[in-house]
Amino acid sequence: MAIEERRMDRMIGTVAHVFDWISNGPWQRHRQDEGIADFTFGNPQEMPLPGLVDALQRHAVPRDKDWFAYKFSEGEPRRVVVDSLRGRTGIEFRPEDVAMTTGAFGALGVTIRALCDVGDEVIFLSPPWFFYELMIASSGATPVRVRLAAPTFDLDPDAIAAAITPRTRAIIVNSPNNPSGRIYRAPELAALGEVLTDASKRHGRPIILISDESYNRIVFDDIDFRSPAQDYGATMTIYTYGKTLLAPGQRIGYAAMSPTFPDRETTAFKLMVQQLAAGWGFPNALLQYAIGDLEGLSVDIAALQARRDRMVAALRAMGYEVTRPDGTFYLMARSPDPDDMAFTERLAELGTLVLPGTIVECPGWFRISLTASDEMVERGLEAFRTAAG
């Protein structure tokens, strides 16, 4: 009992600051204010895609008595996923190596718990998505962070190599990256693949690369996104349709093993066991039926890119140091006040909400979501100008 309590304490400790800010910070106090400009999270600020609504309505009509019965990872969704992955990567993924999941969140959770155990270490890159550490701790493994240097937040294969030990079981790589917006290019990924290959041989077991590609279709400037799976065989590719559809509440995604993934059949069984243990961690029937329609839908990438360009130019003109993201919904800006928590409180009083960098292990910065409407952008820029003065 004491051991379990300590593990739960560690889990809670990894996210206590996040939940404290969400529950008691300016977002909770001001998000319902009239005229608020909300740049905090990647939530929709406008009505859903019409094609999404049409697809859900069309597939909600039952065609047989089992239409809404229990569903595992169904055959047709797996075929849709494999066709998409093959077209994007050139890798011959197999339907039986795909686990349909409740978004990327569900895919990450079941993958980490299926692959990792007490005594293992899992590397993640910082600044991170703020639930990586929690999910690693929930498996009983030990989180190991590798910090990436601002303002470029480049992938650092040498720092990753230095963090690897004989206990390293996996590494989570997120590209396009939340929060930085960086897309890792071919030379970086090739170098990472070499590091992981060498370390796997040296320590006598494969290090699994968990590739979180939740934003791999939200790419700007015609950049050619490259999956880490193209440079390293022991890769589990994670994806969610919720980002591309800007519908994070409609949770369908997948975890897909590369054809050269070690011990595929055993791993596939472990994934299914973890989905059962998680309380039926499979997407609901309706979303699995609709996936063929959802595959071709997307939020307006050109509009997001235009919003990025507007905000980056305007904020730089005001004197802010701002990243220019390659993709995702997000850009990062350095706080004029080194106390980013205090600065974002001031912004909130001016009618603008952002995520403090401290929440994503990047103190002195803050994150802006580009899913805010154009009207919010213009209102928000006035607040940024006033706060910078």
PDB file of all heavy atoms in Angstrom, residues 44-67:
ATOM      1  N   PRO A  44     -11.295  24.954 -30.310  1.00  0.00           N
ATOM      2  CA  PRO A  44     -11.950  25.738 -31.364  1.00  0.00           C
ATOM      3  C   PRO A  44     -12.598  26.986 -30.781  1.00  0.00           C
ATOM      4  O   PRO A  44     -13.197  26.945 -29.709  1.00  0.00           O
ATOM      5  CB  PRO A  44     -13.005  24.772 -31.916  1.00  0.00           C
ATOM      6  CG  PRO A  44     -13.265  23.800 -30.807  1.00  0.00           C
ATOM      7  CD  PRO A  44     -11.975  23.657 -30.068  1.00  0.00           C
ATOM      8  N   GLN A  45     -12.472  28.069 -31.504  1.00  0.00           N
ATOM      9  CA  GLN A  45     -13.121  29.327 -31.118  1.00  0.00           C
ATOM     10  C   GLN A  45     -14.181  29.722 -32.137  1.00  0.00           C
ATOM     11  O   GLN A  45     -14.775  30.797 -32.024  1.00  0.00           O
ATOM     12  CB  GLN A  45     -12.075  30.440 -30.985  1.00  0.00           C
ATOM     13  CG  GLN A  45     -10.988  30.167 -29.958  1.00  0.00           C
ATOM     14  CD  GLN A  45     -11.502  30.137 -28.531  1.00  0.00           C
ATOM     15  OE1 GLN A  45     -12.602  30.597 -28.244  1.00  0.00           O
ATOM     16  NE2 GLN A  45     -10.703  29.586 -27.621  1.00  0.00           N
ATOM     17  N   GLU A  46     -14.379  28.855 -33.121  1.00  0.00           N
ATOM     18  CA  GLU A  46     -15.397  29.069 -34.150  1.00  0.00           C
ATOM     19  C   GLU A  46     -16.152  27.759 -34.357  1.00  0.00           C
ATOM     20  O   GLU A  46     -15.774  26.725 -33.802  1.00  0.00           O
ATOM     21  CB  GLU A  46     -14.737  29.573 -35.444  1.00  0.00           C
ATOM     22  CG  GLU A  46     -14.020  30.910 -35.252  1.00  0.00           C
ATOM     23  CD  GLU A  46     -13.194  31.322 -36.451  1.00  0.00           C
ATOM     24  OE1 GLU A  46     -12.335  30.526 -36.883  1.00  0.00           O
ATOM     25  OE2 GLU A  46     -13.391  32.448 -36.943  1.00  0.00           O
ATOM     26  N   MET A  47     -17.199  27.765 -35.157  1.00  0.00           N
ATOM     27  CA  MET A  47     -18.034  26.580 -35.331  1.00  0.00           C
ATOM     28  C   MET A  47     -17.252  25.442 -36.006  1.00  0.00           C
ATOM     29  O   MET A  47     -16.312  25.685 -36.768  1.00  0.00           O
ATOM     30  CB  MET A  47     -19.274  26.926 -36.148  1.00  0.00           C
ATOM     31  CG  MET A  47     -20.249  27.843 -35.410  1.00  0.00           C
ATOM     32  SD  MET A  47     -20.865  27.127 -33.853  1.00  0.00           S
ATOM     33  CE  MET A  47     -21.973  25.857 -34.507  1.00  0.00           C
ATOM     34  N   PRO A  48     -17.639  24.177 -35.733  1.00  0.00           N
ATOM     35  CA  PRO A  48     -16.915  23.022 -36.280  1.00  0.00           C
ATOM     36  C   PRO A  48     -16.958  22.961 -37.801  1.00  0.00           C
ATOM     37  O   PRO A  48     -17.813  23.573 -38.457  1.00  0.00           O
ATOM     38  CB  PRO A  48     -17.641  21.821 -35.675  1.00  0.00           C
ATOM     39  CG  PRO A  48     -18.371  22.352 -34.485  1.00  0.00           C
ATOM     40  CD  PRO A  48     -18.712  23.773 -34.817  1.00  0.00           C
ATOM     41  N   LEU A  49     -16.036  22.168 -38.365  1.00  0.00           N
ATOM     42  CA  LEU A  49     -16.017  21.953 -39.808  1.00  0.00           C
ATOM     43  C   LEU A  49     -17.341  21.334 -40.259  1.00  0.00           C
ATOM     44  O   LEU A  49     -17.783  20.325 -39.700  1.00  0.00           O
ATOM     45  CB  LEU A  49     -14.882  21.005 -40.181  1.00  0.00           C
ATOM     46  CG  LEU A  49     -13.442  21.482 -39.964  1.00  0.00           C
ATOM     47  CD1 LEU A  49     -12.477  20.338 -40.235  1.00  0.00           C
ATOM     48  CD2 LEU A  49     -13.137  22.667 -40.860  1.00  0.00           C
ATOM     49  N   PRO A  50     -17.980  21.896 -41.289  1.00  0.00           N
ATOM     50  CA  PRO A  50     -19.241  21.310 -41.767  1.00  0.00           C
ATOM     51  C   PRO A  50     -19.094  19.844 -42.180  1.00  0.00           C
ATOM     52  O   PRO A  50     -19.982  19.031 -41.946  1.00  0.00           O
ATOM     53  CB  PRO A  50     -19.608  22.202 -42.961  1.00  0.00           C
ATOM     54  CG  PRO A  50     -18.926  23.504 -42.678  1.00  0.00           C
ATOM     55  CD  PRO A  50     -17.651  23.152 -41.990  1.00  0.00           C
ATOM     56  N   GLY A  51     -17.965  19.488 -42.786  1.00  0.00           N
ATOM     57  CA  GLY A  51     -17.757  18.115 -43.218  1.00  0.00           C
ATOM     58  C   GLY A  51     -17.716  17.145 -42.050  1.00  0.00           C
ATOM     59  O   GLY A  51     -18.157  15.991 -42.173  1.00  0.00           O
ATOM     60  N   LEU A  52     -17.209  17.593 -40.912  1.00  0.00           N
ATOM     61  CA  LEU A  52     -17.193  16.761 -39.725  1.00  0.00           C
ATOM     62  C   LEU A  52     -18.614  16.500 -39.241  1.00  0.00           C
ATOM     63  O   LEU A  52     -18.980  15.347 -38.942  1.00  0.00           O
ATOM     64  CB  LEU A  52     -16.371  17.443 -38.622  1.00  0.00           C
ATOM     65  CG  LEU A  52     -16.470  16.854 -37.217  1.00  0.00           C
ATOM     66  CD1 LEU A  52     -15.969  15.415 -37.198  1.00  0.00           C
ATOM     67  CD2 LEU A  52     -15.696  17.713 -36.219  1.00  0.00           C
ATOM     68  N   VAL A  53     -19.394  17.536 -39.182  1.00  0.00           N
ATOM     69  CA  VAL A  53     -20.784  17.398 -38.738  1.00  0.00           C
ATOM     70  C   VAL A  53     -21.547  16.478 -39.688  1.00  0.00           C
ATOM     71  O   VAL A  53     -22.280  15.580 -39.254  1.00  0.00           O
ATOM     72  CB  VAL A  53     -21.461  18.779 -38.652  1.00  0.00           C
ATOM     73  CG1 VAL A  53     -22.930  18.636 -38.256  1.00  0.00           C
ATOM     74  CG2 VAL A  53     -20.721  19.673 -37.655  1.00  0.00           C
ATOM     75  N   ASP A  54     -21.372  16.667 -40.995  1.00  0.00           N
ATOM     76  CA  ASP A  54     -22.056  15.828 -41.979  1.00  0.00           C
ATOM     77  C   ASP A  54     -21.675  14.358 -41.818  1.00  0.00           C
ATOM     78  O   ASP A  54     -22.534  13.464 -41.882  1.00  0.00           O
ATOM     79  CB  ASP A  54     -21.710  16.288 -43.398  1.00  0.00           C
ATOM     80  CG  ASP A  54     -22.312  17.650 -43.736  1.00  0.00           C
ATOM     81  OD1 ASP A  54     -23.217  18.099 -43.007  1.00  0.00           O
ATOM     82  OD2 ASP A  54     -21.854  18.265 -44.718  1.00  0.00           O
ATOM     83  N   ALA A  55     -20.383  14.096 -41.614  1.00  0.00           N
ATOM     84  CA  ALA A  55     -19.916  12.716 -41.491  1.00  0.00           C
ATOM     85  C   ALA A  55     -20.513  12.044 -40.257  1.00  0.00           C
ATOM     86  O   ALA A  55     -20.966  10.889 -40.319  1.00  0.00           O
ATOM     87  CB  ALA A  55     -18.394  12.678 -41.428  1.00  0.00           C
ATOM     88  N   LEU A  56     -20.527  12.749 -39.145  1.00  0.00           N
ATOM     89  CA  LEU A  56     -21.076  12.167 -37.925  1.00  0.00           C
ATOM     90  C   LEU A  56     -22.573  11.921 -38.057  1.00  0.00           C
ATOM     91  O   LEU A  56     -23.086  10.879 -37.614  1.00  0.00           O
ATOM     92  CB  LEU A  56     -20.788  13.079 -36.738  1.00  0.00           C
ATOM     93  CG  LEU A  56     -19.307  13.248 -36.367  1.00  0.00           C
ATOM     94  CD1 LEU A  56     -19.157  14.194 -35.183  1.00  0.00           C
ATOM     95  CD2 LEU A  56     -18.661  11.905 -36.053  1.00  0.00           C
ATOM     96  N   GLN A  57     -23.265  12.848 -38.672  1.00  0.00           N
ATOM     97  CA  GLN A  57     -24.710  12.657 -38.847  1.00  0.00           C
ATOM     98  C   GLN A  57     -25.002  11.483 -39.774  1.00  0.00           C
ATOM     99  O   GLN A  57     -25.900  10.671 -39.512  1.00  0.00           O
ATOM    100  CB  GLN A  57     -25.332  13.940 -39.404  1.00  0.00           C
ATOM    101  CG  GLN A  57     -25.380  15.084 -38.396  1.00  0.00           C
ATOM    102  CD  GLN A  57     -25.909  16.368 -38.997  1.00  0.00           C
ATOM    103  OE1 GLN A  57     -25.806  16.593 -40.211  1.00  0.00           O
ATOM    104  NE2 GLN A  57     -26.472  17.219 -38.159  1.00  0.00           N
ATOM    105  N   ARG A  58     -24.235  11.365 -40.853  1.00  0.00           N
ATOM    106  CA  ARG A  58     -24.477  10.309 -41.828  1.00  0.00           C
ATOM    107  C   ARG A  58     -24.220   8.929 -41.220  1.00  0.00           C
ATOM    108  O   ARG A  58     -25.007   8.001 -41.420  1.00  0.00           O
ATOM    109  CB  ARG A  58     -23.590  10.531 -43.054  1.00  0.00           C
ATOM    110  CG  ARG A  58     -23.797   9.509 -44.158  1.00  0.00           C
ATOM    111  CD  ARG A  58     -23.173   9.972 -45.460  1.00  0.00           C
ATOM    112  NE  ARG A  58     -21.753  10.230 -45.354  1.00  0.00           N
ATOM    113  CZ  ARG A  58     -21.198  11.438 -45.275  1.00  0.00           C
ATOM    114  NH1 ARG A  58     -21.959  12.534 -45.274  1.00  0.00           N
ATOM    115  NH2 ARG A  58     -19.895  11.576 -45.199  1.00  0.00           N
ATOM    116  N   HIS A  59     -23.130   8.789 -40.457  1.00  0.00           N
ATOM    117  CA  HIS A  59     -22.775   7.485 -39.922  1.00  0.00           C
ATOM    118  C   HIS A  59     -23.506   7.163 -38.627  1.00  0.00           C
ATOM    119  O   HIS A  59     -23.391   6.027 -38.123  1.00  0.00           O
ATOM    120  CB  HIS A  59     -21.264   7.399 -39.726  1.00  0.00           C
ATOM    121  CG  HIS A  59     -20.509   7.371 -41.021  1.00  0.00           C
ATOM    122  ND1 HIS A  59     -20.413   6.240 -41.801  1.00  0.00           N
ATOM    123  CD2 HIS A  59     -19.834   8.353 -41.687  1.00  0.00           C
ATOM    124  CE1 HIS A  59     -19.699   6.510 -42.884  1.00  0.00           C
ATOM    125  NE2 HIS A  59     -19.337   7.783 -42.842  1.00  0.00           N
ATOM    126  N   ALA A  60     -24.255   8.112 -38.101  1.00  0.00           N
ATOM    127  CA  ALA A  60     -25.045   7.840 -36.893  1.00  0.00           C
ATOM    128  C   ALA A  60     -26.274   6.992 -37.185  1.00  0.00           C
ATOM    129  O   ALA A  60     -26.887   6.441 -36.268  1.00  0.00           O
ATOM    130  CB  ALA A  60     -25.464   9.163 -36.238  1.00  0.00           C
ATOM    131  N   VAL A  61     -26.648   6.884 -38.448  1.00  0.00           N
ATOM    132  CA  VAL A  61     -27.819   6.084 -38.822  1.00  0.00           C
ATOM    133  C   VAL A  61     -27.417   4.608 -38.846  1.00  0.00           C
ATOM    134  O   VAL A  61     -26.566   4.201 -39.650  1.00  0.00           O
ATOM    135  CB  VAL A  61     -28.353   6.508 -40.202  1.00  0.00           C
ATOM    136  CG1 VAL A  61     -29.552   5.651 -40.587  1.00  0.00           C
ATOM    137  CG2 VAL A  61     -28.717   7.987 -40.191  1.00  0.00           C
ATOM    138  N   PRO A  62     -27.987   3.759 -37.970  1.00  0.00           N
ATOM    139  CA  PRO A  62     -27.556   2.356 -37.898  1.00  0.00           C
ATOM    140  C   PRO A  62     -27.935   1.553 -39.138  1.00  0.00           C
ATOM    141  O   PRO A  62     -28.992   1.763 -39.730  1.00  0.00           O
ATOM    142  CB  PRO A  62     -28.284   1.836 -36.657  1.00  0.00           C
ATOM    143  CG  PRO A  62     -29.439   2.745 -36.470  1.00  0.00           C
ATOM    144  CD  PRO A  62     -29.020   4.085 -36.975  1.00  0.00           C
ATOM    145  N   ARG A  63     -27.061   0.636 -39.528  1.00  0.00           N
ATOM    146  CA  ARG A  63     -27.289  -0.215 -40.695  1.00  0.00           C
ATOM    147  C   ARG A  63     -27.525  -1.674 -40.322  1.00  0.00           C
ATOM    148  O   ARG A  63     -27.883  -2.472 -41.178  1.00  0.00           O
ATOM    149  CB  ARG A  63     -26.099  -0.103 -41.648  1.00  0.00           C
ATOM    150  CG  ARG A  63     -25.887   1.335 -42.134  1.00  0.00           C
ATOM    151  CD  ARG A  63     -24.661   1.469 -43.006  1.00  0.00           C
ATOM    152  NE  ARG A  63     -24.359   2.873 -43.253  1.00  0.00           N
ATOM    153  CZ  ARG A  63     -23.269   3.302 -43.884  1.00  0.00           C
ATOM    154  NH1 ARG A  63     -22.379   2.425 -44.330  1.00  0.00           N
ATOM    155  NH2 ARG A  63     -23.069   4.595 -44.068  1.00  0.00           N
ATOM    156  N   ASP A  64     -27.267  -2.013 -39.073  1.00  0.00           N
ATOM    157  CA  ASP A  64     -27.554  -3.364 -38.599  1.00  0.00           C
ATOM    158  C   ASP A  64     -27.662  -3.320 -37.084  1.00  0.00           C
ATOM    159  O   ASP A  64     -27.396  -2.293 -36.454  1.00  0.00           O
ATOM    160  CB  ASP A  64     -26.479  -4.365 -39.052  1.00  0.00           C
ATOM    161  CG  ASP A  64     -25.077  -3.978 -38.606  1.00  0.00           C
ATOM    162  OD1 ASP A  64     -24.873  -3.779 -37.392  1.00  0.00           O
ATOM    163  OD2 ASP A  64     -24.183  -3.868 -39.463  1.00  0.00           O
ATOM    164  N   LYS A  65     -28.033  -4.443 -36.480  1.00  0.00           N
ATOM    165  CA  LYS A  65     -28.286  -4.479 -35.047  1.00  0.00           C
ATOM    166  C   LYS A  65     -27.018  -4.280 -34.217  1.00  0.00           C
ATOM    167  O   LYS A  65     -27.083  -3.897 -33.042  1.00  0.00           O
ATOM    168  CB  LYS A  65     -28.938  -5.800 -34.662  1.00  0.00           C
ATOM    169  CG  LYS A  65     -28.056  -7.024 -34.821  1.00  0.00           C
ATOM    170  CD  LYS A  65     -28.782  -8.282 -34.392  1.00  0.00           C
ATOM    171  CE  LYS A  65     -27.887  -9.512 -34.543  1.00  0.00           C
ATOM    172  NZ  LYS A  65     -26.662  -9.425 -33.734  1.00  0.00           N
ATOM    173  N   ASP A  66     -25.853  -4.541 -34.813  1.00  0.00           N
ATOM    174  CA  ASP A  66     -24.591  -4.423 -34.096  1.00  0.00           C
ATOM    175  C   ASP A  66     -23.897  -3.079 -34.331  1.00  0.00           C
ATOM    176  O   ASP A  66     -22.722  -2.921 -33.995  1.00  0.00           O
ATOM    177  CB  ASP A  66     -23.639  -5.552 -34.514  1.00  0.00           C
ATOM    178  CG  ASP A  66     -24.147  -6.906 -34.091  1.00  0.00           C
ATOM    179  OD1 ASP A  66     -24.727  -6.999 -32.985  1.00  0.00           O
ATOM    180  OD2 ASP A  66     -23.984  -7.876 -34.861  1.00  0.00           O
ATOM    181  N   TRP A  67     -24.632  -2.149 -34.907  1.00  0.00           N
ATOM    182  CA  TRP A  67     -24.003  -0.868 -35.281  1.00  0.00           C
ATOM    183  C   TRP A  67     -23.341  -0.193 -34.089  1.00  0.00           C
ATOM    184  O   TRP A  67     -22.267   0.394 -34.209  1.00  0.00           O
ATOM    185  CB  TRP A  67     -25.049   0.048 -35.898  1.00  0.00           C
ATOM    186  CG  TRP A  67     -24.486   1.171 -36.718  1.00  0.00           C
ATOM    187  CD1 TRP A  67     -24.529   2.505 -36.435  1.00  0.00           C
ATOM    188  CD2 TRP A  67     -23.807   1.058 -37.970  1.00  0.00           C
ATOM    189  NE1 TRP A  67     -23.928   3.235 -37.430  1.00  0.00           N
ATOM    190  CE2 TRP A  67     -23.467   2.360 -38.387  1.00  0.00           C
ATOM    191  CE3 TRP A  67     -23.452  -0.019 -38.775  1.00  0.00           C
ATOM    192  CZ2 TRP A  67     -22.797   2.619 -39.565  1.00  0.00           C
ATOM    193  CZ3 TRP A  67     -22.785   0.229 -39.958  1.00  0.00           C
ATOM    194  CH2 TRP A  67     -22.459   1.540 -40.338  1.00  0.00           C
TER     195      TRP A  67
END
